[in-house]
Amino acid sequence: MYVKSQLSWNVIIPAENLDVEGLMLQKAIVIRLMNDFASMKASKNLGYFMALTSLERIGEGKVRDHAGDVLFPVEFSCLTFKLFRGEILEGVVGKILKHGVFLGCGPTKVYLSHQKMADYKYMPGENPIFMNEKMSRIEKHIVVRFIVVGARYVEAEKEFQAVVSLEGDYLGPISQTVV
């Protein structure tokens, strides 16, 4: 789920942003780091980049040949979100199809196949639902607890895709209203 990570990146500051005052330079480095961090979205090893939590160290700048820009090595801590196989999570039902359900879980969407919810039957209609014999309903905006069966990273979209299941104890719908 959430992982605290230590990262080392290089931040490039254009020559026109360089200032004699140390505070202005530090501000330019932090702003550039935050912009670069926000544009990264996700990586295969770390998951989705959620928040930059602390700046640990700014190294000595090195002038890049021909450009005049300065490259600063930066170390920082951040919070990431990654799905792990076997992990139990909760998600909100976003879309219901005949063959399964798409749920929102943090920054990602996961798929719950009808084959992975054995007791539930699809009920078509204007607002389709899945219902079991105990009248438990999986419908739009309901919170569902599930287990991650598998996840993969799609490099082109820089996002994760996951398949989840309700096969296990205490899994299934856990609320009848949006939380």
Side-chain angles (χ1 to χ4, degrees), residues 10-70:
N10 291 323
V11 175
I12 298 171
I13 302 297
E16 60 268 11
N17 289 7
L18 296 174
D19 192 8
V20 179
E21 297 179 36
L23 288 177
M24 294 306 287
L25 178 60
Q26 185 174 3
K27 180 180 176 184
I29 292 169
V30 169
I31 289 170
R32 183 61 185 248
L33 175 63
M34 291 177 78
N35 288 338
D36 290 351
F37 185 83
S39 67
M40 276 298 288
K41 190 174 180 181
S43 79
K44 183 177 184 176
N45 295 333
L46 297 172
Y48 290 95
F49 295 109
M50 301 301 292
L52 202 146
T53 54
S54 66
L55 180 61
E56 307 297 332
R57 189 177 76 77
I58 298 174
E60 187 174 325
K62 295 181 180 87
V63 178
R64 296 175 65 198
D65 293 338
H66 306 297
D69 299 339
V70 180

Side-chain angles (χ1 to χ4, degrees), residues 102-150:
F102 284 97
L103 300 117
C105 178
T108 190
K109 300 264 187 277
V110 298
Y111 180 68
L112 173 59
S113 171
H114 73 285
Q115 296 172 338
K116 295 294 182 180
M117 38 182 168
D119 298 343
Y120 289 85
K121 303 285 183 250
Y122 178 74
M123 307 293 221
E126 189 175 314
N127 295 313
I129 63 169
F130 279 90
M131 189 183 305
N132 68 7
E133 294 170 357
K134 298 175 187 171
M135 305 306 280
S136 178
R137 301 160 61 114
I138 296 176
E139 56 190 331
K140 200 166 184 174
H141 304 298
I142 294 296
V143 178
V144 177
R145 184 174 294 134
F146 55 83
I147 187 166
V148 177
V149 175

